[in-house]
């Protein structure tokens, strides 16, 4: 089987919407050159092709001078699904899977139309599609993957691996490329669950090239297309750990996730504690939440500026313990986040007071994800988990937002109905998920939290591992309350785990300050006596 490697390169921007680093120096060589040189070590590849915009062909050729790569000018438009994949993957960049709608890392760099063009020009049976910034790709394991793909060519037209993005390519047979181009869909969507045609997960079939446990469970992006992934790759090379997949993944598992950067990867901002569902038993609301806010827009603007100055993949969740859509200056808040350069924005809402102005703001500022606390499938159950409210109001709000999104001819916001699974609604879990999957393309199920015993426990099954470890979120996430104080945790609705106050400190100083350092150290040591909220928590294992 003749297989050609294909890299879709752009020296200005990436499919993720970030600035390209393909021409930047990485341990003595441009990123894209390093990637091609790794691929050149593969014995089973017939050719290496790099496609790029026509006005960049000479620059790309210069970067790759002396390598076996053939540089082609790409004259096709980006695939129609690219903007949707970009929004769906923003919260899952470190994993090969896990994006909204079933999107995967396989979907990010593939262009089925370009694949068809290159396959025809080179008379290829299959294409090994590789991110052009995959400068740590494993050549030996790639050869094994290609052999696996050829062995099972009759039963699997797609071959992928459960590895962190950038360590291995995706192999797509020409026949499948043609089908994807005709349908206008990316390959990873074939792995998504479909309620009307359920089947065995493709990770259990021959299309999955099996890897070690260390590789399957490692989290980290190694594609040099964000500032964070570029730093990670540079650190691996500087420490001589950029060799085999096994050594890289062991490092990711042991060290990378335990390191707190200069700023959190994600912050949750509570805009207000006003809430149209104050009687809901599924989360802290109403009288049990101290009155705070609304947060000052200038505070949000400073946060956005600080986050984007540090990283180009910074994420903001507008949530907390109220409905953010009730903030009196929602449009200004969203404008501040977008103008400040925040990469991803998710909004959590009850949907009960979704005004036309709020819908316009969500669409105009291209909020990536709008999560609706629906929590039930039937009107009767919805009434029981909301204190007597009607479900149709929320359904109508979702419809109105989808209509506005369609009129704007854009994929954002992705609408995600969510159920908090509890003893009071668990019997509707399957019909909820499948029903909304048919209607919206995705839904999520969140586990109930008793908030360290501060709410009556409606947990269905305790999902916490048997052995307590340090909270996984202390090195990646924090919560800004509506009064400007910064809490370490999204379980802290009363404001007990305060790390600092933005009224007199910067987020950078708070994140690296003594309170944050002490909390992380005590968690690592298993000494939680001074932190009763942590000691009673069952959510410490969440990624």
């Amino acid at each position: 089987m003749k297989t050609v490697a294909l890299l879709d390169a752009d020296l200005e921007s990436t499919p993720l919407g970030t600035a390209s680093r393909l021409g930047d120096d990485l341990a003595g060589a441009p990123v894209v050159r390093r990637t091609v040189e790794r691929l050149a070590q593969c014995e089973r590849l017939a050719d290496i092709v790099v496609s790029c915009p026509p006005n960049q062909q000479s620059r790309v050729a210069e970067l790759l001078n002396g390598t076996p790569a053939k540089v082609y000018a790409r004259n096709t438009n980006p695939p129609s699904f690219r903007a949707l994949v970009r929004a769906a993957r923003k919260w899952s960049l470190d994993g090969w899977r896990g994006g909204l709608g079933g999107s995967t890392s396989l979907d990010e760099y593939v262009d089925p139309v370009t694949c068809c063009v290159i396959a025809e020009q080179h008379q290829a049976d299959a294409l090994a599609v590789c991110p052009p910034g995959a400068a740590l790709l494993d050549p030996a394991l790639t050869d094994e993957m290609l052999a696996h793909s050829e062995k099972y060519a009759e039963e699997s037209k797609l071959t992928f691996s459960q590895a962190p993005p950038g360590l291995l390519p995706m192999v797509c047979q020409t026949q499948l490329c043609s089908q994807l181009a005709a349908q206008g869909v990316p390959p990873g969507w074939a792995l998504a669950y479909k309620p009307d045609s359920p089947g065995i997960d493709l990770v259990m079939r021959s299309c999955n090239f099996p890897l070690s446990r260390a590789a399957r469970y490692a989290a980290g992006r190694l594609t040099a297309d964000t500032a964070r992934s570029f730093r990670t790759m540079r650190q691996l090379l500087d420490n001589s750990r950029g060799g085999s997949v096994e050594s890289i993944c062991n490092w990711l598992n042991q060290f990378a996730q335990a390191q707190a950067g200069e700023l959190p990867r994600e912050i949750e901002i509570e805009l207000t504690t006003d809430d149209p569902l104050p009687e809901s038993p599924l989360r802290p609301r109403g009288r049990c939440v101290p009155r705070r806010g609304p947060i000052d827009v200038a505070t949000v603007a400073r946060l956005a500026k600080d986050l984007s100055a540090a990283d180009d993949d910074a994420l903001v969740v507008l949530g907390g313990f109220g409905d953010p859509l009730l903030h009196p200056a929602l449009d200004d808040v969203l404008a501040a986040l977008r103008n400040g350069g925040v990469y991803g924005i998710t909004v959590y809402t009850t949907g009960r007071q979704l005004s036309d102005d709020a819908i316009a703001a969500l669409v105009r500022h291209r909020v990536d994800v709008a999560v609706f606390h629906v929590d039930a499938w039937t009107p009767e159950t919805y009434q029981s988990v909301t204190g007597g409210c009607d479900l149709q109001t929320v359904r109508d709000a979702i419809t109105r937002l989808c209509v506005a999104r369609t009129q704007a001819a854009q994929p954002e916001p992705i609408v995600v109905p969510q159920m908090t699974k509890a003893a009071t609604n668990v019997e509707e879990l399957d019909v909820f998920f499948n029903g909304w999957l048919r209607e919206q393309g995705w839904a999520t199920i969140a586990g109930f939290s008793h908030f360290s015993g501060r709410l009556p426990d409606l947990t269905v099954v305790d999902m916490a591992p048997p052995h307590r470890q340090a909270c996984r979120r202390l090195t990646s996430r924090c919560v800004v309350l509506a009064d400007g104080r910064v809490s370490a945790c999204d379980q802290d609705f009363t404001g007990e785990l305060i790390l600092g106050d933005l009224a007199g400190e910067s987020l950078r100083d708070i994140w690296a300050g003594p309170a944050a350092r002490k909390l992380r150290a005590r968690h690592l040591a298993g000494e939680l006596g001074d932190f009763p909220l942590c000691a009673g928590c069952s959510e410490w294992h969440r990624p």
Side-chain angles (χ1 to χ4, degrees), residues 209-530:
F209 174 58
L211 297 174
S212 67
R213 177 182 174 85
R216 296 197 311 272
Y217 287 92
R221 188 170 185 86
L222 302 170
T223 46
D225 47 15
T226 68
R228 197 180 310 271
S229 65
F230 189 85
R231 285 199 307 270
T232 299
M233 296 170 71
R234 187 170 55 197
Q235 190 173 3
L236 279 162
L237 289 169
D238 288 346
N239 295 329
S240 301
R241 294 190 178 95
S244 68
V245 164
E246 199 71 13
S247 63
I248 290 172
C249 292
N250 283 332
W251 183 84
L252 291 175
N253 286 325
Q254 295 174 23
F255 301 104
Q257 299 304 312
Q259 297 177 349
E262 294 182 8
L263 286 172
R265 173 75 171 273
E266 174 183 338
I267 62 170
E268 181 171 353
I269 303 177
E270 178 186 73
L271 299 187
T272 178
T273 53
D274 291 345
D275 194 337
L277 283 181
E279 303 304 321
S280 173
L282 300 181
R283 53 191 66 88
R285 289 295 189 264
R287 290 184 296 273
C288 69
V289 177
R291 298 288 298 173
R292 296 184 288 260
I295 199 167
D296 184 55
V297 175
T299 298
V300 176
R302 288 198 305 273
L303 287 170
K305 183 178 179 181
D306 290 344
L307 288 171
S308 61
D311 285 298
D312 55 2
D313 62 350
L315 305 171
V316 168
V317 173
L318 299 182
F321 304 100
D323 193 323
L325 299 191
L326 298 185
H327 191 283
L330 176 67
D331 186 79
D332 293 336
V333 167
L334 295 176
L337 292 173
R338 282 301 185 211
N339 294 338
V342 168
Y343 180 59
I345 303 174
T346 286
V347 172
Y348 278 77
T349 179
T350 64
R352 298 208 57 81
Q353 294 184 14
L354 186 60
S355 67
D356 291 341
D357 287 344
I359 288 177
L362 295 174
V363 173
R364 177 167 53 252
H365 298 293
R366 301 184 82 111
V367 167
D368 297 285
V369 183
V371 180
F372 285 78
H373 292 302
V374 182
D375 296 321
W377 181 252
T378 64
E380 295 78 15
T381 301
Y382 185 80
Q383 287 183 350
S384 71
V385 298
T386 59
C389 297
D390 66 295
L391 177 60
Q392 194 59 45
T393 298
V394 181
R395 281 190 162 275
D396 291 344
I398 290 174
T399 298
R400 289 165 50 227
L401 177 57
C402 291
V403 168
R405 181 185 64 190
T406 300
Q407 291 174 343
Q410 64 187 54
E412 311 98 339
I414 299 173
V415 171
V416 181
Q418 183 178 87
M419 169 188 279
T420 296
K421 178 180 66 175
T424 50
N425 61 8
V426 67
E427 292 184 357
E428 294 188 1
L429 188 151
D430 288 341
V431 67
F432 178 95
F433 188 76
N434 290 338
W436 281 112
L437 204 60
R438 294 185 184 100
E439 293 187 33
Q440 290 296 331
W442 202 240
T444 58
I445 307 297
F448 178 84
S449 172
H450 52 69
F451 288 80
S452 296
R454 286 159 171 78
L455 294 185
D457 195 355
L458 301 175
T459 304
V460 177
V461 178
D462 185 0
M463 300 300 293
H467 302 293
R468 180 68 186 256
Q469 295 178 344
C471 178
R472 297 178 63 182
R473 292 192 159 195
L474 292 180
T475 57
S476 64
R477 198 177 193 276
C478 67
V479 178
V480 177
L481 300 176
D483 56 12
R485 292 180 300 158
V486 178
S487 172
C489 180
D490 61 9
Q491 302 288 293
D492 184 21
F493 62 90
T494 57
E496 297 177 36
L497 283 178
I498 298 302
L499 304 179
D501 194 328
L502 292 171
E505 305 169 87
S506 70
L507 180 62
R508 185 183 300 272
D509 290 340
I510 292 172
W511 184 246
R517 294 199 307 271
K518 176 182 177 181
L519 183 60
R520 294 182 194 122
R522 292 294 177 85
H523 267 256
L524 288 172
E527 301 170 353
L528 303 179
D530 293 340

